């Protein structure tokens, strides 16, 4: 049996501009200002040009993403990556705008894919979604202490439409997300802590975010709840932010 070879460590070029767009419904979402403050601090520390918009309607969610894409494609400089943070009430696959109308997440994600955004073609696109994805609540399960723990072708001319994308959801499909009235959401606060205090590839940082959230106990309506984020990745290389 031959010895397994270590993986080649190919990394995204992060020497260019880093752009971030945050769209947040603060209306009827107490604690969201604390999340915006934390994100602003994180983007500043990580060298992002950050834009924040409060209380978009469903249509404005779509329009702001399209404006973000058009502004990037109009730039002459090299862009390394883009972060998009979406915070609102939601159901699976949809977000609720300030006007109570719904917008499809899939339509928002399509705006920056490799087909529709030239500036971000083959560049990492990171979506952070702080929203409920259903009505389920997780009381948690008891575990013992020990348990907490294709053919490649070289054709650089083409690239799949949906690669180089990372979706980070505050909760798994079908479940609600939690937010504290004053301190903000466990998800955003934990993510900002890890991204600003730790170094490493982003998927390893997200494993640490998941570990911390899995250990946390949230009390809601007098009952203990557990919550964990969900990460979906089509990244082709390692992404380092620091």
């Amino acid at each position: 049996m031959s010895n397994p070879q270590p993986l080649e460590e190919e990394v995204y070029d992060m020497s260019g501009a880093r752009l971030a767009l945050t769209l947040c419904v603060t209306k009827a979402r107490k604690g969201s200002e604390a999340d915006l403050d934390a994100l602003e601090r994180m983007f500043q520390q990580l060298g992002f040009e950050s834009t924040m918009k409060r209380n978009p309607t469903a249509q404005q969610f779509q329009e702001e993403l399209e404006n973000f894409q058009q502004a990037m494609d109009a730039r002459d400089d090299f862009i390394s990556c883009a972060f998009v943070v979406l915070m609102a009430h939601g159901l699976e696959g949809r977000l609720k705008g300030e006007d109570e109308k719904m917008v499809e997440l899939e339509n928002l994600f399509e705006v920056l894919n490799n087909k529709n955004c030239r500036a971000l073609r083959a560049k990492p696109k990171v979506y952070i979604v702080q929203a409920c994805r259903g009505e389920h609540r997780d009381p948690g399960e008891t575990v013992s202490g020990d348990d907490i723990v294709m053919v490649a072708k070289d054709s650089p001319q083409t690239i799949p439409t949906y690669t180089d994308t990372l979706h980070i959801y505050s909760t798994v499909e079908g479940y609600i997300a939690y937010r504290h009235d004053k301190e903000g959401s466990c998800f955003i606060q934990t993510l900002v802590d890890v991204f600003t205090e730790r170094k490493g590839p982003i998927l390893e940082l997200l494993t640490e975010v998941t570990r911390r959230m899995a250990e946390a106990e949230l009390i809601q309506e007098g009952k203990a709840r557990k919550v964990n984020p969900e990460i979906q990745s089509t990244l082709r290389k390692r992404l380092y932010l620091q």
Side-chain angles (χ1 to χ4, degrees), residues 221-240:
E221 293 164 358
K223 293 182 181 152
R225 304 290 187 194
K226 305 296 281 188
V227 66
N228 61 277
E230 182 174 6
I231 292 112
Q232 299 170 359
S233 172
T234 59
L235 296 180
R236 294 175 302 113
K237 306 176 186 180
R238 294 194 176 198
L239 172 55
Y240 289 89

Side-chain angles (χ1 to χ4, degrees), residues 1-5:
M1 216 169 106
S2 61
N3 289 330
Q5 295 297 307

Side-chain angles (χ1 to χ4, degrees), residues 10 31 35 41-42 53 64 69 83-84 87 96 98 112 123 136 150 158 166 174 180 182 201 210 225:
E10 216 184 333
D35 286 346
R41 190 178 80 244
M42 177 182 84
K53 305 274 184 177
E64 291 293 349
Q69 173 260 314
F83 270 56
V84 174
M87 299 195 283
K96 189 183 282 187
E98 188 265 351
L112 301 183
K123 317 272 182 63
H136 296 301
M150 153 178 118
T158 63
L166 182 61
H180 189 278
K182 296 187 181 66
T210 303
R225 304 290 187 194

Side-chain angles (χ1 to χ4, degrees), residues 12 114 122-123 125 159-165 234-236:
Y12 287 106
N114 288 328
K123 317 272 182 63
K125 299 158 274 285
I159 189 169
T161 304
Y162 298 103
T163 57
D164 310 288
T165 303
T234 59
L235 296 180
R236 294 175 302 113

